Amino acid sequence: MVTFILKRIVSGISVLVAISFVTFCLLYFSSANIARNILGESASPEQVAAKEVELGLHRPLLTRYFEWASNALHGDFGASWFTSEPVISAITTRLPITLTLVSVSIVCIAIVATLLGVAAAVKRGWIDRMVQGAAVVGDAIPDFVLAIVLVSVFAISLKWFPATSSIAPDAGASAWVASMTLPVIALLINGIASIAQQIRSAVIKQLEKDYVRTLRSRGISEREIILKHVLRSAAPAGLTVLSLKFVGMLGGVVIIEQIFALPGMGALAVQSTSTGDIPLVMGVVLYTVIIVIIVNLLVDLINGWLNPKVRVS
């Protein structure tokens, strides 16, 4: 198990280094007018040239990357070129909002999708047809369209929830719940529909295997077979889909945060990318990749615990 974990950690670090280098290269070749954008159109060529020297834009690509990587290893991600706010401060004030939004959505998706998927696989009939129909409809409706409908109905017409929510750090629990309700619903509808379908297929596949017939012939109850054996065997497939959904949400949440004016990582990513704020973009990319690596590592560990064959492979 230790070797299994070490391999996953080394693989994750390799991915982190590769993505950070590729991102840095792409930003390097698109940073020609950064100094001009910071100083404004009225700045003289001498002032622009001095700003480029101050930011280090005149130095070679590899020199700048290794200097950034060395500082990042020591916890120094620099400061925003436009606001001078430290990158770590900018990210740590916004990351909890995005992680709360995505984590709550994933937990809700996991619970509801598992219940629906298992019920569809075991009961079949109208529940099965409903889950399959909901999966088709859910896949056809983009998250941002659903978010706009939710705002129009529940925020503007009914006024049950705030249409836009700038969550203050000292906001109470009720403010958090009110602000997160509509964005979470917008994210989880599509996820529940698609993942319930995946869990249904995995459970049906397990129910058709010989070990289930053997357990039934021994008089073991259907409930015990489902909860102790079938779900354990079907879990890896569901966990893999959930981890992919989590990674997809980290990217897709950008639009949801924009619609609901949530000051999360999505808003920060849009702002920093549109202005070419390289230290901030690199910080956002690095933190996002680290979160994805941690989630994938946890999923691999759980899959390895549930199914020893995964550790061997």
Side-chain angles (χ1 to χ4, degrees), residues 71-147:
N71 292 333
L73 283 174
H74 292 85
D76 179 12
F77 292 88
S80 167
W81 284 349
F82 289 82
T83 64
S84 300
E85 181 183 12
V87 172
I88 290 183
S89 173
I91 290 176
T92 52
T93 55
R94 295 165 174 82
L95 188 60
I97 295 173
T98 299
L99 283 184
T100 301
L101 178 59
V102 176
S103 300
V104 171
S105 301
I106 282 293
V107 170
C108 293
I109 288 172
I111 295 173
V112 179
T114 301
L115 293 175
L116 289 176
V118 172
V122 175
K123 300 294 184 183
R124 309 303 287 265
W126 69 270
I127 298 180
D128 191 18
R129 292 192 293 273
M130 183 194 73
V131 170
Q132 294 190 59
V136 174
V137 175
D139 287 339
I141 302 176
D143 292 340
F144 72 91
V145 173
L146 186 59

Side-chain angles (χ1 to χ4, degrees), residues 26-233:
L26 294 174
L27 293 171
Y28 175 85
F29 291 113
S30 62
S31 61
N33 297 318
I34 292 293
R36 170 69 66 183
N37 294 339
I38 295 174
L39 296 175
E41 293 299 327
S42 60
S44 65
E46 291 76 15
Q47 289 174 315
V48 172
K51 192 65 178 179
E52 288 179 348
V53 172
E54 177 188 337
L55 298 177
L57 297 176
H58 63 296
R59 289 178 296 171
L61 167 65
L62 291 180
T63 302
R64 289 173 55 191
Y65 175 74
F66 285 117
E67 182 182 51
W68 172 85
S70 175
N71 292 333
L73 283 174
H74 292 85
D76 179 12
F77 292 88
S80 167
W81 284 349
F82 289 82
T83 64
S84 300
E85 181 183 12
V87 172
I88 290 183
S89 173
I91 290 176
T92 52
T93 55
R94 295 165 174 82
L95 188 60
I97 295 173
T98 299
L99 283 184
T100 301
L101 178 59
V102 176
S103 300
V104 171
S105 301
I106 282 293
V107 170
C108 293
I109 288 172
I111 295 173
V112 179
T114 301
L115 293 175
L116 289 176
V118 172
V122 175
K123 300 294 184 183
R124 309 303 287 265
W126 69 270
I127 298 180
D128 191 18
R129 292 192 293 273
M130 183 194 73
V131 170
Q132 294 190 59
V136 174
V137 175
D139 287 339
I141 302 176
D143 292 340
F144 72 91
V145 173
L146 186 59
I148 293 172
V149 172
L150 291 172
V151 170
S152 301
V153 176
F154 295 101
I156 297 176
S157 299
L158 300 177
K159 301 185 185 305
W160 289 356
F161 299 98
T164 58
S165 308
S166 298
I167 303 176
D170 57 347
S174 59
W176 271 88
V177 172
S179 300
M180 288 293 178
T181 299
L182 292 184
V184 166
I185 292 175
L187 285 174
L188 64 83
I189 294 296
N190 178 274
I192 288 175
S194 58
I195 293 178
Q197 177 76 350
Q198 298 290 332
I199 293 175
R200 168 193 172 275
S201 301
V203 171
I204 288 176
K205 188 176 180 181
Q206 293 300 318
L207 288 173
E208 293 173 347
K209 291 194 171 179
D210 291 337
Y211 78 90
V212 174
R213 283 191 283 271
T214 303
L215 291 172
R216 284 171 176 160
S217 67
R218 291 178 180 174
I220 299 176
S221 68
E222 197 70 18
R223 178 188 296 270
E224 188 175 353
I225 291 174
I226 297 294
L227 295 179
K228 287 189 176 180
H229 302 281
V230 172
L231 271 182
R232 183 186 179 97
S233 300

